[in-house]
Amino acid sequence: MKLILAPMEGLLDFTLRDILTRVGGVDRCVSEFIRITDQLLPPRVFTRIVPELHQGSRTPAGVPVRPQLLGSDPSCMAENAALLATLGPAGIDLNFGCPAKTVNQHRGGAVLLDEPELVGRIVAAVRRAVPPTIPVSAKMRLGNRCDGPALDCARAIDEAGADELVVHARTRVQGYRPPAYWERIHEVRAAVRLPVIANGEIWTVQDAWRCRDVTGCDTLMIGRGLVRNPGLALAITAADRVARVAPAGAGGIAWNDLLPLIGDFWRQIATRVEPRHRSGRLKQWLNYLRGHYPEAEQAFAELRLSNDPASASRWLTAQLAPMPEALA
């Protein structure tokens, strides 16, 4: 089974991609979206959002990163994709799944699924603009308001020449509320020729197995599950090797093993983020981590009301006292 780290706008940026891919088990990443409107972006915009382009389109751990474009104008998307292709990306992904209201109001993301013909034209334009050696993939939800257009959109993406299709098994209206309708991914898979990747509600090793069984997909994309449990991908691949004998709840890395990575996350945030936003970034991740680690629950409670980065530094220093090299 192959595992892809999902794009998550406002959370899974290059810093967290670096940290999570160091843990292991992730085969590829997709970046947060690069918004394309009505102009050709300068190269610095692509490299600011995906600085891995300076490193052969790979994280420091060597995991390929595929930049993602979001927009509704086929010509402008193609023009920007052609420029992006000159920067050596590991592939180019197209966003037809973002549920954010501000994005949808400007004809971006999942709202485009009401227009399968336009979706197909965007994919075809990008595919023509990009050298055949660079894979072009797309990520979609089951639909905008309902899942009726799912098969038409998937077929349009397939016929337009995409190399892969990721399907998040919910509509825009359903947001991130469980369940994910994995059986609909199975239907999509049966309707197209290109490889299909399943996404949505994969929180445990057992979820990954069930998703593979229901959808028939050998590649899964995981976002929130990996942010909450950074060792999940490693646990899934390890359990696969021992023929599904992992006990319920198995997987992940110990809190004490994660702490040095949290320390490095903080060190990177401190060099790249304005002081007033630093504590918010740490608390954002801790908020996810507390779903898997009781220690993160306690840490979040201690830091929740403070926006002072010095408080976060003191907390990390105390936690890492037995391992001071983690903040060196």
Side-chain angles (χ1 to χ4, degrees), residues 147-178:
D147 64 1
L151 297 185
D152 288 339
C153 289
R155 291 188 184 105
I157 290 168
D158 187 16
E159 292 165 6
D163 296 285
E164 291 176 332
L165 172 62
V166 178
V167 180
H168 182 136
R170 284 178 279 233
T171 65
R172 179 192 65 82
V173 172
Q174 289 162 343
Y176 294 96
R177 296 189 305 273

Side-chain angles (χ1 to χ4, degrees), residues 93-134:
D93 192 68
L94 304 176
N95 183 317
F96 302 111
C98 180
K101 186 178 294 185
T102 53
V103 170
N104 296 160
Q105 287 173 343
H106 292 87
R107 294 194 76 213
V111 72
L112 295 179
L113 298 172
D114 286 336
E115 305 176 67
E117 188 270 339
L118 174 59
V119 168
R121 286 197 292 119
I122 292 169
V123 175
V126 170
R127 181 66 278 176
R128 287 193 300 268
V130 171
T133 53
I134 295 179

Side-chain angles (χ1 to χ4, degrees), residues 76-325:
C76 200
M77 288 283 282
E79 189 179 15
N80 279 277
L83 175 58
L84 174 56
T86 68
L87 303 178
I92 295 175
D93 192 68
L94 304 176
N95 183 317
F96 302 111
C98 180
K101 186 178 294 185
T102 53
V103 170
N104 296 160
Q105 287 173 343
H106 292 87
R107 294 194 76 213
V111 72
L112 295 179
L113 298 172
D114 286 336
E115 305 176 67
E117 188 270 339
L118 174 59
V119 168
R121 286 197 292 119
I122 292 169
V123 175
V126 170
R127 181 66 278 176
R128 287 193 300 268
V130 171
T133 53
I134 295 179
V136 173
S137 54
K139 184 170 189 271
M140 60 173 268
R141 283 177 172 255
L142 294 175
N144 179 23
R145 301 178 192 86
C146 68
D147 64 1
L151 297 185
D152 288 339
C153 289
R155 291 188 184 105
I157 290 168
D158 187 16
E159 292 165 6
D163 296 285
E164 291 176 332
L165 172 62
V166 178
V167 180
H168 182 136
R170 284 178 279 233
T171 65
R172 179 192 65 82
V173 172
Q174 289 162 343
Y176 294 96
R177 296 189 305 273
Y181 298 93
W182 294 335
E183 66 279 359
R184 294 289 280 133
I185 299 180
H186 179 77
E187 294 173 21
V188 168
R189 214 173 137 259
V192 298
R193 297 162 297 178
L194 82 176
V196 174
I197 297 161
N199 174 228
E201 289 301 305
I202 301 170
W203 300 97
T204 67
V205 172
Q206 289 73 25
D207 289 339
W209 289 335
R210 287 195 300 268
C211 183
R212 179 171 59 182
D213 290 343
V214 172
T215 64
C217 297
D218 288 326
T219 302
L220 308 180
M221 176 176 278
I222 308 175
R224 293 174 301 153
L226 265 169
V227 176
R228 185 175 79 171
N229 175 5
L232 178 59
L234 196 62
I236 291 170
T237 55
D240 257 9
R241 287 196 297 268
V242 294
R244 303 189 176 197
V245 296
I253 61 174
W255 177 251
N256 283 343
D257 293 327
L258 181 61
L259 271 173
L261 295 175
I262 296 175
D264 194 47
F265 172 80
W266 178 251
R267 181 183 58 78
Q268 293 190 50
I269 289 298
T271 63
R272 296 168 175 164
V273 177
E274 291 184 26
R276 61 195 177 100
H277 296 307
R278 291 174 190 169
S279 293
R281 286 300 311 277
L282 178 61
K283 288 187 288 186
Q284 182 188 38
W285 191 19
L286 286 173
N287 190 35
Y288 277 92
L289 290 172
R290 64 185 183 145
H292 187 74
Y293 296 97
E295 299 92 340
E297 179 75 59
Q298 181 179 348
F300 184 81
E302 289 179 26
L303 298 173
R304 184 172 62 88
L305 298 180
S306 173
N307 289 317
D308 179 11
S311 297
S313 291
R314 284 193 296 270
W315 173 80
L316 276 167
T317 299
Q319 296 294 314
L320 293 165
M323 46 186 96
E325 71 279 2

